[in-house]
Amino acid sequence: MATHHTKMLIIGSGPAGYSAAIYGARAMLEPIVVQGLQPGGQLTITTDVENYPGYRDVVQGPWLMEEMQAQAEHVGTRMMWDTIVEVDIAKGSPFRAIGDSGDEYIGDTLVIATGAQAKWLGVPGEQELGGKGVSACATCDGFFYRGKKVVVIGGGNTAVEEALYLTNHSDDVTLIHRRDELRAEKILQERLFASDKTNTLWNKTVSAFVAGDNGALSHLELTDTVTGERSTLDADGAFVAIGHAPATELFKGKLPMDDGGYLLVQPGTPMTEIPGVFACGDVMDHTYRQAVTAAGTGCMAALDAERFLATLDFAKNEAEAAE
């Protein structure tokens, strides 16, 4: 067991954590990134990435995260293969975290970049066809289904927004919902029902995603929630849109959260209610959830952490000068 001290402790990796580390290292904050259970975040289970700026050709999600990690290390970040299981932030800076390894991490500032995970249906074929027709992000992958038949599973704002977005690429978008009415806001429902590119299947659940001879998604097996009748629906792409779960369990009772469990920050900033603690990426963003927005908020967290430390140093120097 060891104790590691840093000016900037980052919990979680992915675009937000790595970007914070890059900016923090360049500011000589000697950041430590505790990578967590899924180093690289959600992009490590994403295949083609075509919307991250700077790459005119399609890049692979795992490769992009490897490059971000290498860049962060190149400028002076220390990567720790550990998972934080306990944090102590109530007393203010310095902040203390304990890893699953038993190691202690002490940071003058703390950047939370633990991300979020899409909720899945847990039915046969779902994980096996990930990247081969099944996705949880229409904004990320909708482009690959231009002119093809696609479906969206869900009934809330996210599902309807994804269905409407997909009409930019497809003239055949089907929304599948397990009830006979949507939970989405009325204005979104009106837009959905007004579109001639969408249709809705009510009282249906997905029992399985089935591959065709080419190994990609061929059709969905459906079950009627009222009659129990089984049916199939052909589709080239299926988007599961039943919500996301932010990884904020560590901070329950320690930082304010919204009803969905996302960390609350001051509007337009990554600042939490505790000075010196910053949240960035999907752990505080339930709206955009993109790699590029996560990277942007990671940058903001590092810049604000640098300013916070500069303020502490100034106050300390002023106090010493007054003695």
Side-chain angles (χ1 to χ4, degrees), residues 133 145 148-151 210 216-220 233-238:
Y145 300 94
K148 298 183 178 181
K149 181 178 175 60
V150 296
V151 301
V210 182
L217 178 68
S218 167
H219 64 273
L220 289 70
L233 178 67
D234 291 341
D236 300 297

Side-chain angles (χ1 to χ4, degrees), residues 19 53 59 66 73 90 96 126 136 161 192 201 208 218 308 314:
S19 296
V59 298
E66 288 172 5
E73 290 177 308
R96 177 175 172 269
E126 185 175 48
E161 288 170 351
L192 179 77
L201 287 182
S218 167
F308 173 80
F314 179 80

Side-chain angles (χ1 to χ4, degrees), residues 5-116:
H5 186 273
T6 175
K7 294 179 181 177
M8 186 167 74
L9 175 62
I10 302 168
I11 301 177
S13 43
Y18 288 153
S19 296
I22 291 166
Y23 275 82
R26 288 172 58 84
M28 309 304 291
L29 302 184
E30 301 174 339
I32 289 177
V33 173
V34 184
Q35 302 231 57
L37 291 172
Q38 190 179 33
Q42 294 183 73
L43 275 185
T44 59
I45 56 172
T46 302
T47 52
D48 294 344
V49 176
E50 200 170 25
N51 56 5
Y52 196 84
Y55 303 96
R56 62 181 178 180
D57 295 322
V58 175
V59 298
Q60 299 298 299
W63 176 85
L64 183 59
M65 290 300 92
E66 288 172 5
E67 289 296 295
M68 282 194 188
Q69 177 179 331
Q71 183 179 3
E73 290 177 308
H74 177 72
V75 290
T77 301
R78 275 201 293 163
M79 297 289 170
M80 307 300 292
W81 298 90
D82 203 351
T83 301
I84 298 300
V85 295
E86 182 184 341
V87 292
D88 182 2
I89 58 177
K91 303 182 184 70
S93 179
F95 307 102
R96 177 175 172 269
I98 302 297
D100 184 59
S101 65
D103 283 9
E104 181 180 43
Y105 301 88
I106 298 176
D108 297 332
T109 60
L110 175 64
V111 174
I112 303 167
T114 47

Side-chain angles (χ1 to χ4, degrees), residues 23-314:
Y23 275 82
R26 288 172 58 84
M28 309 304 291
L29 302 184
E30 301 174 339
I32 289 177
V33 173
V34 184
Q35 302 231 57
L37 291 172
Q38 190 179 33
Q42 294 183 73
L43 275 185
T44 59
I45 56 172
T46 302
T47 52
D48 294 344
V49 176
E50 200 170 25
N51 56 5
Y52 196 84
Y55 303 96
R56 62 181 178 180
D57 295 322
V58 175
V59 298
Q60 299 298 299
W63 176 85
L64 183 59
M65 290 300 92
E66 288 172 5
E67 289 296 295
M68 282 194 188
Q69 177 179 331
Q71 183 179 3
E73 290 177 308
H74 177 72
V75 290
T77 301
R78 275 201 293 163
M79 297 289 170
M80 307 300 292
W81 298 90
D82 203 351
T83 301
I84 298 300
V85 295
E86 182 184 341
V87 292
D88 182 2
I89 58 177
K91 303 182 184 70
S93 179
F95 307 102
R96 177 175 172 269
I98 302 297
D100 184 59
S101 65
D103 283 9
E104 181 180 43
Y105 301 88
I106 298 176
D108 297 332
T109 60
L110 175 64
V111 174
I112 303 167
T114 47
Q117 295 291 331
K119 295 179 181 177
W120 295 97
L121 299 172
V123 300
E126 185 175 48
Q127 297 303 314
E128 293 84 349
L129 291 173
K132 299 177 183 178
V134 178
S135 170
C137 181
T139 310
C140 310
D141 300 329
F143 178 82
F144 301 113
Y145 300 94
R146 300 198 73 167
K148 298 183 178 181
K149 181 178 175 60
V150 296
V151 301
V152 177
I153 300 102
N157 284 353
T158 299
V160 176
E161 288 170 351
E162 299 251 290
L164 290 170
Y165 172 81
L166 286 167
T167 61
N168 295 316
H169 303 294
S170 170
D171 293 334
D172 190 347
V173 180
T174 299
L175 182 70
I176 301 171
H177 186 42
R178 60 183 176 173
R179 298 189 177 93
D180 59 1
E181 61 179 357
L182 300 175
R183 303 187 313 277
E185 296 172 358
K186 293 300 181 183
I187 189 170
L188 290 174
Q189 294 189 43
E190 290 173 4
R191 292 174 187 168
L192 179 77
F193 299 144
S195 174
D196 60 1
K197 298 180 180 181
T198 66
N199 64 88
T200 305
L201 287 182
W202 303 104
N203 299 318
K204 296 287 191 295
T205 59
V206 177
S207 305
F209 297 94
V210 182
D213 294 337
N214 62 355
L217 178 68
S218 167
H219 64 273
L220 289 70
E221 294 182 354
L222 307 177
T223 301
D224 191 292
T225 58
V226 177
T227 66
E229 180 184 356
R230 304 293 292 268
S231 60
T232 62
L233 178 67
D234 291 341
D236 300 297
F239 296 86
V240 179
I242 57 174
H244 284 72
T248 52
E249 191 69 30
L250 265 177
F251 305 99
K252 285 185 176 178
K254 299 178 181 180
L255 285 171
M257 303 176 188
D258 66 12
D259 292 341
Y262 290 85
L263 293 178
L264 294 177
V265 294
Q266 297 178 26
T269 81
M271 300 177 188
T272 70
E273 74 166 12
I274 297 181
V277 178
F278 308 92
C280 57
D282 287 7
V283 77
M284 47 73 77
D285 173 21
H286 55 74
T287 304
Y288 302 103
R289 298 194 303 268
Q290 299 297 301
V292 66
T293 51
T297 56
C299 161
M300 294 162 63
L303 295 177
D304 283 341
E306 182 184 4
R307 294 188 185 104
F308 173 80
L309 291 173
T311 301
L312 285 186
D313 288 341
F314 179 80

